[in-house]
Amino acid sequence: MVQTVVAPVVTALLYLLIFSHVLEAHVEVYPGVSYSSFLVPGLVMMSMLQNAFSNSSSSLIQSKMTGNIVFVLLPPLSYLEFFLAYLGAAVVRGLVVGLGVWGVTLWFAPWQLPHPGWLLAYALLSCSIMGALGIVAGIWAEKYDQLAAFQNFLILPLTFLSGVFYSIHSLPVFWQTISHANPVFYLIDGFRYAFVGQSDTDPRLGLLVASACFVAISGLTLMLLRSGYKLRH
Amino acid sequence: MHAIRVSDLRKRFLTTQALDGVSLEIQQGEFFGLLGPNGAGKTTLISILAGLTRADSGRAAIMGHDVVSDYRQSRRALGVVPQELVYDPFFNVRETLRIQSGYFGLRHNNAWIDEIMHHLALTPHADKNTQSLSGGMKRRLLVAQALVHKPPVIMLDEPTAGVDVDLRRSLWEFISRLNREGHTILLTTHYLEEAEALCGRIGMLKAGRIVALDATRNLLRLTNEHCAQLRLDTEAVPAAWQSRLMRDPDGSWRINFSEYSDLEALLADLRRANVQVTEMRLQEPDLEDVFTDIMKRT
Ligand SMILES: Nc1ncnc2c1ncn2[C@@H]1O[C@H](COP(=O)(O)OP(=O)(O)OP(=O)(O)O)[C@@H](O)[C@H]1O
Ligand SMILES: [Mg+2]
């Protein structure tokens, strides 16, 4: 509980304190939206993404390293059930952390939520994408450093280069184009739309991109699980 | 229907041929021993039956259910005690067993869980975290976990490694009882006297092949290596026997023979040389002799 929920909430809180303190007075990304209000959805989403990912990836690699993965490989569970169980756990962890982060930020940024439907759709899809990606990473990695590499070279850059702390319209054109190729950008942008009612792109486009991502990654995960890759030798 | 049926199973790991065409049929209700030196392929065979490892070719079925195409039924019918001492450090003993029941879709399993814990002497440790259990207790928890769904077929991969004498005895009593109640047992062990006492039939693996497969009592007849231990009242034995008589550290002499006439001849020669036999003990061949013999020959 402390490690899985409180720690990420504290981390997000630190980001909020530092960035909003430094930038609040100088930056207005969207007209009429304070920097704190802009930052909060990004932070909530970033925490959800990272925690959903680390939930499935670390529980898988831990079970593989200690060998107690046999307890879920021996029972009559199908690869689909296996997938749904790990995915469900990741989504729950992501949502709980997201709620926690959002909860504490209410002290610093005013409550607003014009589009709760978008919030729910984006939160569920984002946690699912990262949960599934975490399963892939957990299956593939044989050691903790391999998992860390996956996290440092893929997940972290994708989340940081996605407009958590800034609007990509403030970037040079080249980096804007790059950002548009980053699926996480759409997750954060659409999620932010639910909170502030403004975004860089149409939230419907983001939903399409996110859904496509989820389908693709789930397909890959199910394929790996079905083949028994690195789980059933 | 066979409890376990394996035909022409092959499995290769990079450079090692772990299983090289294994065929085996085990009837329901048997207590079967799978023996073999380290690396013979015992665990690989069990893993394939459990669906933890995939065979390169050949078929395997539990209670008539193919372990690949009908894995749900085959796994439901099978309880496995893995060789490695694994446990989930987040839970206590009772929680572990409840969760394991849940994986098999059993919600109200408390009565049976209590019974297994009782028979495996785990009841006093029910609320202890698995991490704080001693090695032998962890082993017993693994046995308990394999039994939560009352499987008709139970496979135990070296279940007594690191278990003390008392617990080993009570474990065997419990397993024997399950066997009498109709469960089929497949056991691997390096304690051959254990296998000899418990198993009705034994298969021996060597380098991925079955090199012996028969009822335990038939296997015991395979070797006629008897051994006699003699204490003599002299240090000098007749010259003709010097090469066959071995000196034990305690001063007694030992001879291996296959025909009783050999022993008779020795005793006659000793009498002629005026050597007195002050003590004599005969050892019947046991499974260890048979095992050693078969492993040497094949
Ligand atoms: N995952 C694996 N990767 C590579 N080689 C393996 C793997 N599992 C088993 N082997 C090899 O296959 C052979 C058979 O191993 P197995 O574990 O089945 O033997 P065993 O009869 O159970 O031995 P032991 O008595 O030591 O438990 C060995 O040579 C082993 O090194
Ligand atoms: Mg083994």
Side-chain angles (χ1 to χ4, degrees):
Chain A
M1 179 70 190
V2 169
Q3 203 198 330
T4 53
V5 179
V6 179
V9 170
V10 171
T11 310
L13 195 60
L14 288 174
Y15 276 124
L16 182 72
L17 287 175
I18 294 163
F19 280 90
S20 65
H21 179 76
V22 175
L23 299 174
E24 184 77 59
H26 314 284
V27 179
E28 189 184 60
V29 184
Y30 298 128
V33 177
S34 73
Y35 183 71
S36 300
S37 304
F38 173 87
L39 183 58
V40 164
L43 283 178
V44 172
M45 179 52 91
M46 189 174 80
S47 316
M48 289 198 302
L49 295 175
Q50 284 173 353
N51 281 278
F53 176 84
S54 82
N55 201 73
S56 46
S57 61
S58 60
S59 56
L60 263 170
I61 195 152
Q62 216 163 45
S63 293
K64 284 198 331 188
M65 303 269 298
T66 58
N68 62 32
I69 188 102
V70 296
F71 299 142
V72 290
L73 293 178
L74 288 173
L77 300 171
S78 68
Y79 65 94
L80 187 64
E81 290 165 324
F82 189 96
F83 172 71
L84 291 176
Y86 276 92
L87 189 72
V91 170
V92 168
R93 158 98 172 266
L95 293 181
V96 169
V97 170
L99 268 177
V101 172
W102 189 23
V104 297
T105 57
L106 286 177
W107 271 288
F108 304 91
W111 159 277
Q112 50 173 346
L113 187 62
H115 306 293
W118 284 113
L119 173 126
L120 205 65
Y122 270 99
L124 283 175
L125 255 176
S126 308
C127 291
S128 303
I129 290 172
M130 283 313 204
L133 203 59
I135 300 177
V136 174
I139 292 173
W140 167 77
E142 275 153 28
K143 287 178 268 172
Y144 285 105
D145 7 338
Q146 287 176 324
L147 189 59
F150 201 101
Q151 217 147 7
N152 292 334
F153 293 111
L154 191 69
I155 307 301
L156 223 56
L158 283 183
T159 42
F160 274 109
L161 298 174
S162 61
V164 174
F165 302 104
Y166 52 85
S167 158
I168 61 159
H169 285 157
S170 57
L171 293 177
V173 180
F174 171 75
W175 288 104
Q176 279 192 38
T177 319
I178 296 278
S179 298
H180 277 280
N182 175 4
V184 181
F185 155 72
Y186 295 93
L187 301 180
I188 288 180
D189 196 45
F191 191 66
R192 181 174 287 133
Y193 175 78
F195 282 82
V196 301
Q198 300 184 53
S199 56
D200 291 352
T201 58
D202 189 330
R204 284 171 300 186
L205 171 68
L207 203 65
L208 207 68
V209 172
S211 305
C213 269
F214 178 61
V215 170
I217 295 173
S218 302
L220 171 68
T221 317
L222 286 171
M223 224 171 62
L224 289 180
L225 285 173
R226 205 180 122 168
S227 73
Y229 177 71
K230 290 204 180 179
L231 289 179
R232 301 182 195 271
H233 300 280
Chain B
M1 185 185 34
H2 291 97
I4 295 174
R5 186 176 186 151
V6 159
S7 57
D8 202 25
L9 220 50
R10 284 167 207 278
K11 176 70 185 179
R12 191 180 182 84
F13 291 107
L14 295 175
T15 55
T16 28
Q17 190 72 37
L19 291 180
D20 195 7
V22 169
S23 298
L24 181 64
E25 281 167 4
I26 299 177
Q27 305 285 342
Q28 286 181 50
E30 272 198 68
F31 202 130
F32 187 89
L34 187 62
L35 307 182
N38 291 135
K42 306 179 293 292
T43 301
T44 305
L45 178 58
I46 289 182
S47 300
I48 289 173
L49 284 164
L52 296 174
T53 298
R54 297 197 173 170
D56 298 333
S57 65
R59 296 180 149 272
I62 308 284
M63 298 298 276
H65 306 290
D66 188 273
V67 299
V68 178
S69 61
D70 196 7
Y71 67 93
R72 273 189 197 265
Q73 292 306 319
S74 76
R75 288 189 209 158
R76 213 170 270 292
L78 180 63
V80 180
V81 181
Q83 177 173 6
E84 306 289 335
L85 208 53
V86 292
Y87 56 96
D88 199 323
F90 293 111
F91 304 107
N92 68 31
V93 169
R94 192 188 297 277
E95 286 164 346
T96 300
L97 295 174
R98 283 213 184 122
I99 291 167
Q100 197 66 23
S101 305
Y103 293 151
F104 284 87
L106 304 166
R107 273 162 201 272
H108 308 287
N109 205 23
N110 286 340
W112 177 236
I113 287 176
D114 284 340
E115 196 178 330
I116 320 175
M117 285 200 300
H118 169 74
H119 284 296
L120 290 165
L122 282 168
T123 313
H125 312 293
D127 300 318
K128 275 193 197 157
N129 184 282
T130 53
Q131 221 166 358
S132 65
L133 298 177
S134 74
M137 291 178 203
K138 286 193 186 108
R139 180 75 62 189
R140 279 178 288 152
L141 178 57
L142 276 179
V143 177
Q145 276 176 273
L147 298 177
V148 289
H149 55 298
K150 302 190 185 169
V153 181
I154 302 163
M155 304 198 296
L156 304 103
D157 201 349
E158 295 185 35
T160 45
V163 174
D164 72 33
V165 183
D166 274 355
L167 287 176
R168 206 182 300 174
R169 198 166 297 157
S170 64
L171 183 64
W172 288 134
E173 262 163 36
F174 184 48
I175 302 290
S176 299
R177 209 190 85 176
L178 289 169
N179 180 236
R180 281 195 301 278
E181 288 169 359
H183 294 264
T184 309
I185 312 285
L186 183 147
L187 163 77
T188 83
T189 179
H190 290 292
Y191 299 108
L192 297 177
E193 66 280 21
E194 223 168 66
E196 184 178 337
L198 291 160
C199 302
R201 210 155 64 96
I202 281 172
M204 293 188 193
L205 269 182
K206 182 182 174 185
R209 289 167 190 270
I210 293 202
V211 291
L213 178 65
D214 209 338
T216 311
R217 57 173 185 283
N218 294 343
L219 285 175
L220 285 172
R221 274 192 223 124
L222 272 186
T223 191
N224 38 13
E225 270 300 283
H226 301 263
C227 173
Q229 211 175 8
L230 305 157
R231 217 173 258 286
L232 307 175
D233 68 347
T234 171
E235 293 295 307
V237 292
W241 292 93
Q242 260 166 10
S243 60
R244 287 194 59 192
L245 280 166
M246 288 162 288
R247 196 79 197 257
D248 274 352
D250 67 348
S252 62
W253 299 86
R254 202 153 36 82
I255 181 169
N256 293 323
F257 60 95
S258 45
E259 306 292 333
Y260 277 97
S261 55
D262 267 15
L263 187 61
E264 229 180 324
L266 169 66
L267 292 176
D269 282 356
L270 286 176
R271 161 149 302 218
R272 260 197 295 280
N274 259 330
V275 175
Q276 285 246 320
V277 177
T278 56
E279 202 181 312
M280 182 163 88
R281 252 193 314 208
L282 280 179
Q283 271 170 12
E284 288 305 305
D286 60 12
L287 196 59
E288 199 163 317
D289 301 317
V290 179
F291 181 82
T292 319
D293 218 40
I294 288 175
M295 289 303 144
K296 231 184 290 169
R297 269 207 322 251
T298 51

